[in-house]
Amino acid sequence: MLFRSLKGRNSRDTRVSEIMSSKVVCVDGDRSIEECMALMTGRRIRHLPVVQDDRVIGVISIGDVVSAAIAERDFHIQQLESYISG
């Protein structure tokens, strides 16, 4: 079986702890899409655990955040078009 290297290492011989982030950035469920996007962009992270009462209740990806932002933008555009056209 062929294994790809991770940071120059063989995946078969590399422990996750050797390549993972040690200080995980998390958010609570009350964060807005804009806040999550800013945090993910600023920290250059692609996945963000969502924590409630010191327990992980989910993980959102940058794709989730972008999709939600696009859906929100499209909703606002639709509302403005309806308002303009009467």
Side-chain angles (χ1 to χ4, degrees):
M1 181 179 270
L2 178 66
F3 291 94
R4 293 189 163 191
S5 64
L6 305 168
K7 293 186 176 182
R9 298 179 175 113
N10 182 308
S11 61
R12 180 177 291 198
D13 302 323
T14 304
R15 293 181 176 269
V16 172
S17 62
E18 294 176 40
I19 58 171
M20 70 180 201
S21 300
S22 59
K23 294 183 180 180
V24 179
V25 178
C26 301
V27 294
D28 59 38
D30 295 331
R31 289 284 182 108
S32 70
I33 295 299
E34 291 83 13
E35 289 175 307
C36 290
M37 185 178 287
L39 181 61
M40 294 171 92
T41 302
R43 298 281 183 102
R44 298 182 60 135
I45 54 178
R46 298 176 56 117
H47 297 90
L48 196 55
V50 181
V51 177
Q52 182 177 1
D53 299 324
D54 294 327
R55 185 170 171 230
V56 176
I57 59 170
V59 177
I60 59 172
S61 71
I62 191 69
D64 297 330
V65 172
V66 169
S67 293
I70 289 170
E72 186 175 341
R73 183 205 61 196
D74 290 347
F75 173 77
H76 287 297
I77 290 171
Q78 206 172 45
Q79 293 298 309
L80 288 170
E81 288 174 344
S82 294
Y83 177 77
I84 291 169
S85 63

